[in-house]
Amino acid sequence: MAPPDAAARRGAQAVVVYASENLPPFDAAFYEAARSGLTKVSELIVPPRDARAFSVPAGHFLRIVSIEGSQVGDLNLWNQHDLSERFFSGKTRALHATHVSTGDRLWSSLPNLRPMATITHDTLDWYGWDEDGGGVHDVIGTRCDPYTNVLLKGTEYHHCCHSNLTRALAAERNMPLAQAEPHVHDVLNVFMCTGFTRDTHQYFMKASPVRPGDFIEFFAEIDLLGALSACPGGDCSSGHSDDAARCYPLKVEIYRPRDDVLACWRSPPRNAYSRNHGIV
């Protein structure tokens, strides 16, 4: 039974955990200047229900583009030179929000905790929050994976995003699957529309609003190795982890800015914490 002071306990004031105003500010003028006069240096196509890896040098731009139909992508990022430094979705969520867009950063794992990439343009910025509480580009979902598929369905499916990303990293780094798999981590769900139900607070997904021509763009703050999976759920309007949904390819484009724009820019350093953890 609820205690006599249940209402008072539930009525405690909510406090935002991290003060976003203390984060390094988003320098819109700098990024807009860097975006002007871009030169495309490479591109690749990520096939449906599969993944591909790619490199993005620091100071370059990465675009993930919808090209044929409504399609969700699962993105992993690593430090090109050190796979132990990777995208930290949980801290990104805590520092920004459950869904990210222009001006937000993708932060790296401890003990590094620095910006890996900054979102500089998002053609789905207009979506905001819908009546279900859903938004686009979430950092709350983990990635569809074959282990959960076996747990809930009792069947094996090998083109879940986790497996796709594992194969892509293994191929890129010429390593066995068993060595690559531990480096695959919680993702940025690009173009995915998700939220939590108001009654049971369960994670939900709904049809992505992305259309051909839409893209999300990132500035690489450090040398990046990326891997993108074109989710087997397609637009994730009904389900995932099977071959039922209509799926489309995604395109990855890499752009180089003018040299003069980056003359005074430097990659952010690793976090300055001493790492003595109270032992001196």
Side-chain angles (χ1 to χ4, degrees):
M1 296 180 62
D5 63 344
R9 296 191 198 184
R10 290 194 179 104
Q13 182 179 359
V15 178
V16 174
V17 176
Y18 295 111
S20 58
E21 62 269 19
N22 292 332
L23 292 175
F26 173 65
D27 189 346
F30 165 75
Y31 291 112
E32 281 303 308
R35 295 186 71 237
S36 64
L38 294 175
T39 300
K40 185 189 290 187
V41 294
S42 66
E43 68 176 38
L44 64 84
I45 301 297
V46 180
R49 296 187 174 87
D50 209 344
R52 293 291 184 271
F54 51 88
S55 296
V56 191
H60 285 54
F61 286 85
L62 158 68
R63 286 183 186 173
I64 299 174
V65 188
S66 169
I67 53 175
E68 291 184 14
S70 184
Q71 175 65 45
V72 164
D74 284 40
L75 178 67
N76 264 188
L77 293 176
W78 299 267
N79 180 333
Q80 173 75 38
H81 313 290
D82 177 8
L83 294 182
S84 71
E85 183 177 10
R86 62 194 192 186
F87 172 51
F88 191 174
S89 67
K91 189 61 71 176
T92 298
R93 178 173 65 247
L95 290 174
H96 295 296
T98 56
H99 300 71
V100 292
S101 189
T102 306
D104 293 328
R105 295 178 172 89
L106 306 187
W107 294 81
S108 71
S109 54
L110 303 180
N112 309 284
L113 196 60
R114 59 174 169 171
M116 303 184 78
T118 299
I119 303 175
T120 51
H121 196 80
D122 175 14
T123 64
L124 295 177
D125 247 342
W126 57 267
Y127 192 89
W129 305 103
D130 61 34
E131 292 184 354
D132 296 314
V136 184
H137 310 309
D138 85 69
V139 283
I140 48 178
T142 55
R143 62 201 176 277
C144 56
D145 69 87
Y147 303 97
T148 303
N149 204 56
V150 168
L151 178 68
L152 298 180
K153 298 181 180 179
T155 58
E156 291 201 355
Y157 181 71
H158 303 299
H159 292 275
C160 297
C161 288
H162 177 87
S163 296
N164 296 346
L165 294 167
T166 298
R167 292 194 308 274
L169 179 61
E172 178 71 14
R173 287 299 174 98
N174 192 28
M175 59 174 63
L177 289 174
Q179 184 179 345
E181 185 176 13
H183 293 291
V184 174
H185 51 279
D186 286 353
V187 299
L188 168 60
N189 281 308
V190 176
F191 304 141
M192 193 170 183
C193 186
T194 60
F196 292 101
T197 59
R198 299 186 190 280
D199 51 357
T200 60
H201 298 275
Q202 290 175 286
Y203 181 52
F204 72 76
M205 60 188 187
K206 59 194 296 184
S208 172
V210 70
R211 298 293 182 268
D214 280 323
F215 67 91
I216 185 170
E217 178 187 274
F218 309 84
F219 179 80
E221 302 285 354
I222 64 173
D223 290 335
L224 295 175
L225 172 65
L228 179 68
S229 171
C231 182
D235 69 355
C236 289
S237 59
S238 57
H240 55 55
S241 301
D242 58 42
D243 291 330
R246 172 176 281 185
C247 293
Y248 300 94
L250 292 169
K251 184 162 68 168
V252 172
E253 299 176 337
I254 311 299
Y255 291 86
R256 183 182 66 245
R258 303 189 322 270
D259 291 339
D260 61 293
V261 176
L262 301 181
C264 297
W265 174 84
R266 297 292 182 272
S267 287
R270 298 175 190 269
N271 192 274
Y273 175 58
S274 66
R275 300 186 66 184
N276 67 36
H277 302 289
I279 304 298
V280 293

